[in-house]
Amino acid sequence: PGIVCMQDQEVDLFSKGNLFYYIYYGNFTENHARVIFKKILDAIIFCHKIGICHLDIKPANIMLDKDYKLIIIDFGYASKFIDENNNKIYFTKGKGTKNYVSPDMRVRKEYDGEKCDIFSLGQVLFNLVTRKSGFITSKPTDRFYCLIKDKNYEEYWKKVFDENIKKDLSENFKNLYLKMVAFEPDERATIKDVLESPWLQEYNNLNQQEKTDLENGVKDEFNIRYDKIKGINNEINLADQIKAKGYNTRSDEENIIFPNDLSPKKIPNNIININHQIIIN
């Protein structure tokens, strides 16, 4: 309920671009981020329930339609992780996008696709709330991620805040994020952990009117930001804007933090033929 899967249909869905654009123009409050994140999480829960992991979750793969409904797209890396005998399938082939790839996927040993999706969701969560990424790569040598790997959390937040990332992050947010991007897969949060986390419960515990008000607030915020991005007609235009502000989205240097290491994609035409997508109501 609330999620529609579609295949091989031409549909008018993506006229408002992708989530990357909206994050580029500013972080969301934690209250608004809860609304957006919960909808994304629900879609991934649906995928996992039918035995599919996405393996490339990132803002650029989350589109918005004319009503600002979220649509998760690009299942090119997606894989079944349950076989016909209901046994778990583990993977060895490296996939994904640099900022969002978990360390277990990076080393290309056997990895759990569900755990990798959780890791990527953690980075998307950080993007939403801060407009930045919590690290450049999940390599143990990354000057930010090494502190998460070693559980040196106090030093990690000090170093992150030195990068001009907003400092008024709630403890519930920080705790959830660190659990989602844990180095060891067995220590990483599960979907159940995320759903029951104190941070997300702050949304779940609202009454229906409060939830509706928040959702309307998110839609208004999307609408304000769309007024800024609707004039972007090509990838070069936005990429130039980003570089002019001092960000290089294709740099391999580990001295900058930006929400996505891919150049933004062109806002698609209203009519798009997409193989697989999940619409999040």
Side-chain angles (χ1 to χ4, degrees), residues 48 52-56 76-82 87-97 100-120 138 182-186 188:
H48 288 184
I52 295 172
C53 48
H54 187 282
L55 299 181
D56 196 19
Y77 290 151
S79 300
K80 285 188 68 67
F81 63 85
I82 300 293
N87 296 317
K88 190 140 192 175
I89 300 170
Y90 292 87
F91 309 105
T92 56
K93 185 178 179 181
K95 302 177 181 181
T97 301
Y100 301 88
V101 169
S102 65
D104 31 317
M105 183 188 288
R106 184 180 295 281
V107 297
R108 301 192 181 188
K109 295 179 180 179
E110 280 198 347
Y111 63 84
D112 182 332
E114 288 181 286
K115 293 285 189 178
C116 293
D117 278 353
I118 289 289
F119 188 95
S120 300
S138 58
F183 180 77
E184 295 291 345
D186 289 344
R188 202 169 297 156

Side-chain angles (χ1 to χ4, degrees), residues 17-19 40 58-64 70-73 124:
N18 67 55
L19 188 59
I40 298 168
K58 59 186 178 183
N61 283 341
I62 301 169
M63 310 299 295
L64 290 92
L70 303 175
I71 303 106
I72 294 183
I73 65 164
V124 172

